[in-house]
Amino acid sequence: MTTRRWHILRAALLALLVLLLIALAAVWWLLAGSRPRLDGRRMLPGLEASVSISRDALGTVTIEGNHRADISYAMGYVHAQERFFEMDLMRRMSAGELSALVGPAALKVDLNHRRHRLRAVAEAAYAQLPPAQKHALDRYRDGVNAGLADLREKPWEYLLLGSRPQPWRSEDSALVIAAMYLDLSRDGRNARELHLAQMRAVLPGPLVDFLLAPDPDWEAPLSGRLSRLPVVPGADVFDLRQQSPAPAANSLTAALAPALDAPRPGSNSFAVASTLTGNGAAMLANDMHLGLRVPNIWFRTRLRYPDPSAPNGQRDVNGVSLPGTPAIIIGSNGQVAWGFTNSYGDWADWVRVQRDPADPDRYKVPAGWAKFETHEEHIQVKGQPDTILEVRDTRWGPVMGKDADGTPLALAWIAQLPRAYNLGLMQFEHVPDVAAALNLAPQLGLPPQNLLVADRAGQIGWTIAGNSIPLRVGIDPLLPSDWSKPGRGWQGWAAPAQYPRIEHPAGGRLWTANNRTVDGAALALLGNGGHDLGARARQIRDDLHARISFAPADLLDIQLDDRAMFLLRWQQLLQRTLANSKAPALEQLRQLTHAWRGRAAVDSVDYRLVRAFRNQVSEAVLAPFAARVKQQHADFSWPAHNSAEAAVWMMIRQQPAWLLDSKYANWHALLTDAASQVAHKLGQQPGGLAARSWGELNRSDIEHPLSAALPAWLARFIDMPDQPLPGDNNMPRVAAPGFGASERMDVSPGHAAQGILEMPGGQSDNPLSPFFGAGHQDWVAGRPTPLLPGKAEHTLTLRPSGR
């Protein structure tokens, strides 16, 4: 190469390098410009007095002011600066407006959610709120918009999407609550009850009852009896040997996943009275299980303001807030600590809509005929013309499906009612004791939850929180029904006196984990929306009874309990099944699961193999029944949240020949084939069976919502590290890819200095923020991080403009 050519090449390379550096500098400048303000003073309109916003090393925000209205404004300011994009996603998701921001990839979600017309619901909910709650939302709204405007650059996600953030509206906070309704109900489709109806339309009733029966071996209710052991139906009810073989499905694995305890939104919460704490106060633990993302859904928050009802005249509230609302969701006010778990009551029903044969625009109601309301919903799609969705509404809800005979079905769901939304939760900042907290619970406008509370005086209590428990009359709530006859359907709402309630339990212990909590009339009132099997709740109950004294660290130990009590009998079954096997692969499987460690640890090979065996057996046992339903209903999958553990285990124990898939000679052949399937599927992977650790499969997978749209090398800068995690579904330490404990809180009211609050995903969504990913590694490792903020690293003061 000549000297001249070399100089030309070097100049070109230098120019390219300069351009690259300029591009990187521009990216850094834009990212840096969307970081929140951490220090200094800002003059802003609308404040009554100055508000101090300080942050510790984890980004925990302490907001201190003289008026709660100013606190709401400052919360909005901080939330917008740290989390506006995530707030925007939540309001758009529930309103069915995601496609306008991200394009046609979100259209399917928008079409499903827009049918509920939740933006109209949110507007109506805001309009009927008490003046004080409206004022709180208005102040929060003003703070959000002030915080958004006070960023030098709009949040970086909008730069990536080429969009502009839209101002926050007061009713948008109701849409954030609606997003929680959707998440906790599996998108508001109530598919579970449709699949129940499909099963009952194809299979005999006693067989369906058996297949869906709860398992008393694992139940741990707070009150009432255990369920009865299910009875295996006789050959006179159903005999597979007399049935023509169902056509082979491509795969029933996906259809049967809900029967195998697939991850679903839920939580753990438990409490102990002062007789077990030694400090005179009760103690509470809460870890809410949700889909995990970057940043986390919750925001570490402390609020301090004057309050005459507080013991020292100063209210000090510690916990987590939900960006998009001005409330502390769970936490402690110094007198009471509170936490939630999803109740899995039944809050939605399908209504058979009887059309007028003479006028298709009318449908039958108890007083005669009513007109359908038709709404033309315009769904904006980025880069494309609007998609038009016609929604036909009835007095009970929108028409969203058809029954097996073609009758239109309308969905009655409490989330579609304005009454189901309010800011009553903010009053928890002031409740003085357990009794007051339980009295407040029936007034809260949120998805009905198990509420556990513990107070400074040493008492604990439980009830259901939520103001919209329907009173059902004349219908089977698990099947589509006709509400056109007088006196049928939802006939009002449960009064506070009807809510089940437990105070001062004799043993000084309470627990909930999405399991059935009550029986009898209380269970009939709440309904069954798919209670958890109960193994997790039972293990928590047993952990609580294994100790006679507790500190917050002891509650955290229970939250981190990854012992596999649920799979012990399956490990023993696998060993019996393979006792006389001569096949080398099966012998290796037997040896690898013989020394049972009994933990869902990241290096546990035995746990993963036994778990795979249980799933393979369950699928083989249930396949002939699911195949018959799927033959007539192609969209069938096992009803969500309905474990088939009781039925599967009973059939394995009793081995009824008439309920065995004809492809197997006997039940031992089914078990051996399941073991062979496990050995083959996992053994052919690199390293063979011995390399199949639980951590290889169970990884954190906690990503930013936009990372899927980026190249992998770039996405890693906005995602959390993908790490192996201990834990699983049927144990206290719940963990699955992209799913698990969204926080772990352990606190004794009045003793917050000893409290614990772990949180994954970090506090900020900006990769250049010092709080991006803060605390995440402690959550992964189960290391306790303090509930109370540490030393203030940054302080920002908001002052009223013009003063």
Side-chain angles (χ1 to χ4, degrees), residues 655-700:
Q655 301 193 356
W658 56 94
L659 296 181
L660 176 66
D661 194 327
S662 60
K663 67 191 289 187
Y664 303 107
N666 51 50
W667 283 91
H668 181 73
L670 181 150
L671 295 174
T672 302
D673 181 72
S676 298
Q677 292 284 344
V678 171
H680 173 71
K681 291 177 183 177
L682 298 183
Q684 66 181 355
Q685 297 177 26
L689 283 178
R692 302 282 74 78
S693 68
W694 177 235
E696 178 189 47
L697 181 67
N698 201 52
R699 304 188 68 82
S700 55

Side-chain angles (χ1 to χ4, degrees), residues 587-646:
E587 175 59 18
Q588 184 188 23
L589 178 60
R590 187 193 67 79
Q591 291 177 1
L592 289 171
T593 56
H594 176 71
W596 178 240
R597 294 171 57 192
R599 286 188 178 275
V602 295
D603 61 345
S604 294
V605 174
D606 56 337
Y607 179 82
R608 181 175 177 185
L609 297 180
V610 171
R611 185 183 190 274
F613 173 69
R614 182 240 174 186
N615 286 357
Q616 196 69 45
V617 170
S618 299
E619 184 176 331
V621 171
L622 299 174
F625 311 109
R628 277 160 176 76
V629 182
K630 203 168 182 65
Q631 180 181 4
Q632 297 189 33
H633 302 280
D635 64 339
F636 172 75
S637 66
W638 202 265
H641 318 321
N642 264 105
S643 171
E645 178 72 12

Side-chain angles (χ1 to χ4, degrees), residues 43 84 161 163 267 293 436 483 604 647 649 709 714 756 775:
M43 306 293 288
F84 187 84
L161 292 168
S163 301
S267 307
R293 70 185 191 198
W483 294 18
S604 294
W649 192 253
L714 188 56
I756 296 169

Side-chain angles (χ1 to χ4, degrees), residues 30-114:
L30 292 172
L31 272 175
S34 65
R35 286 182 301 182
R37 295 184 183 274
L38 303 181
D39 299 286
R41 298 175 181 177
R42 304 298 296 171
M43 306 293 288
L44 297 172
L47 288 169
E48 296 183 38
S50 294
V51 181
S52 170
I53 301 170
S54 61
R55 290 172 169 88
D56 70 355
L58 289 175
T60 306
V61 170
T62 298
I63 304 176
E64 193 164 1
N66 293 330
H67 309 281
R68 185 57 176 87
D70 283 347
I71 296 287
S72 293
Y73 183 102
M75 285 180 74
Y77 181 94
V78 170
H79 285 165
Q81 293 229 320
E82 298 272 16
R83 302 280 194 88
F84 187 84
F85 179 71
E86 289 73 27
M87 295 161 57
D88 193 15
L89 288 184
M90 290 190 78
R91 66 173 171 177
R92 287 177 179 273
M93 188 270 288
S94 56
E97 298 170 356
L98 281 171
S99 299
L101 181 66
V102 302
L107 184 57
K108 182 177 179 181
V109 173
D110 281 353
L111 286 169
N112 179 45
H113 294 176
R114 187 66 73 89

Side-chain angles (χ1 to χ4, degrees), residues 14 51 116 119 199 356 382 446 477 492 530 555 625 628 755 758:
L14 286 173
V51 181
H116 302 291
R119 179 166 288 284
M199 289 185 75
D356 183 354
K382 185 178 179 181
L446 44 68
L555 299 188
F625 311 109
R628 277 160 176 76
E758 296 180 353

Side-chain angles (χ1 to χ4, degrees), residues 201-254:
V202 176
L203 302 174
L207 176 61
V208 176
D209 292 340
F210 169 69
L211 292 173
L212 301 179
D215 192 337
D217 289 344
W218 299 110
E219 290 182 319
L222 291 176
S223 68
R225 300 177 179 178
L226 299 180
S227 300
R228 294 181 179 180
L229 278 170
V231 177
V232 177
D236 59 323
V237 173
F238 192 78
D239 191 340
L240 280 172
R241 298 170 300 185
Q242 305 301 319
Q243 302 286 322
S244 57
N250 292 333
S251 174
L252 290 170
T253 301

